[in-house]
Amino acid sequence: MNSPQFLTLHSPQALNAAQLACANAIATQAGASLQTLHDAAVRLHTSASDEQIAAWRAMAEAQQLDFAALPEQRSLQDFGLLAMDMDSTLITIECIDEIADMQGLKPQVSEITEAAMRGELDFQESLKRRVALLKGLDASALQRVYEERLQLSPGAERLIAAAQAAGLRTLLVSGGFTFFTERVKERLN
C-alpha cells in the first residue's frame, strides 16, 4: 500500500506557464488538487508509489522545478535546525567568482569551480587554486562584491524569519569567505 505524501514543487522565480502546466499534469495524474503556497510554489497531497513519485520528480526537474516529497505534513516546529549553503543557495552568487570577475579572472576561476562541481577536483584543491589566482587582491574588492553584487535569493528573508519564529536554529555553511558570511548573518539577524 502506498503511504500518503505531500509533494511540493518550487521555482526560484514565479512559476512560468510551462512549470504550472507540469504541476497541473502531476496533480491530474495524482487525482489531487494543487494548493498554491505562493507564486513560486505549489503543493499537493497524494498516495503514490515510489516509481510514480520518481516519474513526477523527473517531470518537475525537466521544467527546472525543485521537487520535494514528504511522508506527512510537517510544520517547522517539527525540526530543530535549518542548515544551508550560502553561495548560490541563500544568496544568488558564487562570491569567489564575483571577486574574480572584478579582477578580470572570472573565466579562470569559474572553470576551476565547475571542475570541482563535476567531481574532477576536491574542494580543498579547487579552493587553493582559485584563491591563488586572487593573490594580491585589494580587500576593498570584497566590500564592492558585497555592496554591488550580493543579493539574497528570493524568499530567503521570509524563510529565515519563519525558521526563527518557529524556534529553529539556523546554520550557514560556506567554503571560505567569513567576510561575506558574517555580513549575511548580521543582515538576517
Side-chain angles (χ1 to χ4, degrees):
M1 175 170 229
N2 301 326
S3 58
Q5 296 194 43
F6 288 88
L7 308 180
T8 303
L9 292 88
H10 178 268
S11 175
Q13 278 82 36
L15 297 173
N16 64 37
Q19 291 169 327
L20 197 52
C22 174
N24 279 312
I26 291 170
T28 299
Q29 290 176 22
S33 58
L34 283 180
Q35 173 191 5
T36 300
L37 301 176
H38 54 79
D39 65 349
V42 295
R43 179 179 8 198
L44 62 102
H45 182 251
T46 186
S47 292
S49 67
D50 291 344
E51 294 79 18
Q52 187 60 63
I53 298 292
W56 291 335
R57 181 182 311 277
M59 287 173 61
E61 289 174 353
Q63 292 299 323
Q64 299 180 336
L65 286 168
D66 292 330
F67 181 97
L70 294 174
E72 58 185 61
Q73 181 67 35
R74 293 225 158 129
S75 69
L76 284 176
Q77 290 82 2
D78 293 332
F79 301 91
L81 175 69
L82 172 63
M84 71 200 82
D85 186 27
M86 184 178 72
D87 290 43
S88 295
T89 303
L90 185 65
I91 62 174
T92 60
I93 63 170
E94 290 287 329
C95 291
I96 197 165
D97 289 354
E98 297 307 314
I99 296 166
D101 188 38
M102 289 194 167
Q103 304 304 306
L105 298 168
K106 188 169 184 172
Q108 297 95 312
V109 169
S110 292
E111 184 178 317
I112 296 168
T113 301
E114 290 168 16
M117 289 181 170
R118 288 190 305 266
E120 297 166 7
L121 291 172
D122 68 20
F123 176 77
Q124 289 292 95
E125 181 62 25
S126 71
L127 185 60
K128 280 185 206 176
R129 289 183 187 184
R130 291 179 289 173
V131 170
L133 286 171
L134 302 175
K135 187 175 181 177
L137 172 73
D138 187 275
S140 65
L142 301 177
Q143 188 64 34
R144 281 188 57 217
V145 167
Y146 181 77
E147 291 172 357
E148 297 172 18
R149 300 190 182 183
L150 190 146
Q151 294 182 17
L152 296 173
S153 294
E157 289 173 298
R158 275 194 329 255
L159 173 65
I160 298 300
Q164 290 170 342
L168 274 72
R169 296 189 61 159
T170 54
L171 174 67
L172 183 60
V173 179
S174 178
F177 298 94
T178 57
F179 178 91
F180 297 106
T181 56
E182 289 301 317
R183 282 158 180 77
V184 169
K185 177 182 169 185
E186 285 177 30
R187 185 171 171 182
L188 293 172
N189 193 22

